[in-house]
Amino acid sequence: MLDLTYDAPAPRVIQGARDDWELVIGLEVHAQVASRAKLFSGASTEFGAEPNSNVAFVDAGMPGMLPVVNEGCIALAVKTGLGLKAAINLSSAFDRKNYFYPDLPQGYQISQLYHPLVGEGEVIVDMAPGIARRVRIERIHVEQDAGKSIHDMDPTKSFVDLNRTGVALMEIVSRPDVRGPEEAAAYILKLRQILRYLGTCNGDMQNGNLRADVNVSVCRPGDYERYQETGDFAHLGTRCEIKNMNSTRFIQQAIEVEARRQIALVEDGRAVVQETRLFDPGKGETRPMRSKEEAHDYRYFPDPDLLPLEIEQAWVDEIAASLPELPDEKKARFVTEFGLSEYDAGVLTAEVEDAAYFEAVVTSGADGKLAANWVINELFGRLKKDDRAIGDSPVSAEQLGKITALIKSDAISGKIAKDLFEIVYTEGGDPERIVEERGMRQVTDTGAIETAVDEVIAANPAQVEKAQSNPKLAGWFVGQVMKATGGKANPAAVNQMVQQKLGL
Ligand code: ADP
Ligand code: MG
């Protein structure tokens, strides 16, 4: 296990016209459950399908239809809770949140207000190597997504696509423990990473698979500590909620401008009004969307179509036993098992597919550090150049493992290894066979090296004289021999032979 010492939160301080202000941020992250069917129907959740083709009668709010809870979605939400070290509530319930919207044909959203499936947990957020912060999770509830209204396809009409209606979401609600824009971005990325490791959400932010409502308030230094001591929110400022953000860059910008807007208001003697706002990236400002509604505005009540959700501890234990190794544990293991730096281990574990690839390289190769070097510097660099994902890397982990094994056993030099990598990348093939067939094996045979050194020395008497009075020039001979052997001579052996022959 990782020995994590949490660093005291470092609040972002903004200087107003008169005072210093600190930021307080809490996030509600909506993560789409990685299920192929919807929460209460068997309709498909496939992204990008023909509009209104993945809609069951219950999704369309047809009278007389009854929702049936999808056990797979609940299992994934429980898994998520366990991955966030959260309490799982064996007894939870679904509530109706009533509101009208054209893309919500039922006239209500089925959610969990009073008794969520998952209780308190935590996310450890890495800010830099060795610096980690703890953000408490308040709850995770399971709910339905709404459909999509499309207003930009026709100048006079709006369209509704119900494909997304009824897709399962997990709303992951944090405590207001995030203290600055960078921390907010790092929190979302860490959460996304954990969900992807768990396989409970695919975390594709561009497709709205993971999106966040960001609550922002400002307070005077000392107020947050008073809130922490007493748990009394009255010590904090009034919050505004910035809705539906799906880019960490925009989240940071939005927090910054929203905090400055609130500071200007308060310093001007006016009050922050609790409301829902939208961020306009073009204008770089937030603007009101609707005044903040309270729970009672939605006339929440327990959904009479659904029984309370009772799950058994044995089932939870079974899911707990199936949890994969999570990012923090994997990173710590990479450091101890392979002797990697924390930075490299962080790079290799950022995406679960990268970590798996790296481990497969080590399995067919020889050395963890060497493998890390090649994955990070050569492979990632090359893939990036071609804008390819690790999933369609032309060099398989087994091939790269063989390349590193050839380096490790001194069969090829590091320089030749780069040529070999390029051949495998563009043409494919078995690295060992390529080395044999194309005569790329490193020359360690001292006889052959001696001959090459002798030839270079014989051909350059003037250089020999110079090198003998200035030993630094011996490097020139090493370079010539390497050139003459097509880069295949072992550089250390050449260097030694040159020194010896020149009598240095
Ligand atoms: P609602 O659904 O009304 O937005 P929730 O309880 O679902 O309420 O979420 C409230 C969110 O706002 C939580 O993430 C919480 O941490 C955050 N929050 C509460 N008070 C503040 C505050 N003063 N400043 C910033 N965030 C806050
Ligand atoms: Mg909310």
Side-chain angles (χ1 to χ4, degrees), residues 16-19 21 260-272:
R18 271 186 248 140
D19 290 313
W21 297 89
R260 289 183 188 276
R261 184 189 72 87
Q262 292 181 10
I263 291 167
L265 271 180
V266 179
E267 289 200 337
D268 198 32
R270 288 182 289 164
V272 174

Side-chain angles (χ1 to χ4, degrees), residues 10-12 23-25 178-185 255:
R12 170 67 188 281
L23 268 57
V24 176
I25 300 154
V178 175
R179 304 302 312 278
E182 300 79 15
E183 266 185 45
I255 290 171

Side-chain angles (χ1 to χ4, degrees), residues 24-28 97 113 136 138-139 141 171-178 213-218 227 233 236-241 243 274 292-295 300:
V24 176
I25 300 154
L27 294 104
E28 300 162 73
K97 180 181 185 181
L113 178 69
R136 292 168 301 162
E138 184 183 317
R139 56 192 268 151
H141 54 261
E171 180 169 334
I172 305 167
V173 184
S174 86
R175 298 265 181 208
D177 289 349
V178 175
D213 300 341
V214 184
N215 296 271
V216 179
S217 69
V218 295
Y227 150 72
F233 282 88
L236 300 179
T238 303
R239 72 183 151 114
C240 283
E241 179 174 342
K243 267 282 185 228
Q274 187 175 329
K292 183 69 198 181
E293 55 297 282
E294 302 284 338
Y300 273 100

Side-chain angles (χ1 to χ4, degrees), residues 151-346:
H151 305 296
D152 56 5
M153 264 175 66
D154 188 287
T156 56
K157 294 189 189 98
S158 282
F159 297 92
V160 174
D161 177 5
L162 298 182
N163 279 351
R164 215 175 59 186
T165 309
V167 167
L169 299 179
M170 300 179 276
E171 180 169 334
I172 305 167
V173 184
S174 86
R175 298 265 181 208
D177 289 349
V178 175
R179 304 302 312 278
E182 300 79 15
E183 266 185 45
Y187 166 78
I188 296 210
L189 292 176
K190 184 62 180 284
L191 190 57
R192 174 179 179 275
Q193 184 192 30
I194 295 172
L195 297 177
R196 284 174 43 76
Y197 268 65
L198 291 166
T200 57
C201 167
N202 75 27
D204 187 348
M205 294 184 73
Q206 269 178 5
N207 290 341
N209 211 278
L210 191 84
R211 44 193 204 264
D213 300 341
V214 184
N215 296 271
V216 179
S217 69
V218 295
C219 65
R220 302 296 321 281
D223 285 344
Y224 185 79
E225 287 70 20
R226 280 186 274 279
Y227 150 72
Q228 279 208 311
E229 274 160 32
T230 59
D232 185 353
F233 282 88
H235 292 294
L236 300 179
T238 303
R239 72 183 151 114
C240 283
E241 179 174 342
I242 312 164
K243 267 282 185 228
N244 249 329
M245 307 283 298
N246 66 351
S247 134
T248 50
R249 192 162 62 90
F250 288 160
I251 286 173
Q252 297 187 64
Q253 291 173 3
I255 290 171
E256 184 89 32
V257 296
E258 175 57 19
R260 289 183 188 276
R261 184 189 72 87
Q262 292 181 10
I263 291 167
L265 271 180
V266 179
E267 289 200 337
D268 198 32
R270 288 182 289 164
V272 174
V273 181
Q274 187 175 329
E275 64 188 357
T276 303
R277 300 179 69 88
L278 275 184
F279 178 61
D280 180 338
K283 295 208 174 109
E285 61 180 32
T286 66
R287 56 167 181 267
M289 182 179 164
R290 55 174 183 249
S291 65
K292 183 69 198 181
E293 55 297 282
E294 302 284 338
H296 62 249
D297 293 328
Y298 289 110
R299 304 289 187 271
Y300 273 100
F301 65 89
D303 193 307
D305 285 344
L306 288 156
L307 289 170
L309 185 62
E310 305 284 347
I311 57 177
E312 281 169 14
Q313 186 60 44
W315 189 61
V316 175
D317 293 343
E318 224 174 87
I319 296 171
S322 78
L323 284 196
E325 183 179 42
L326 290 172
D328 289 342
E329 296 154 14
K330 200 181 280 293
K331 185 169 149 190
R333 181 168 62 78
F334 281 10
V335 169
T336 50
E337 193 174 326
F338 305 121
L340 305 187
S341 68
E342 202 186 316
Y343 180 81
D344 283 354

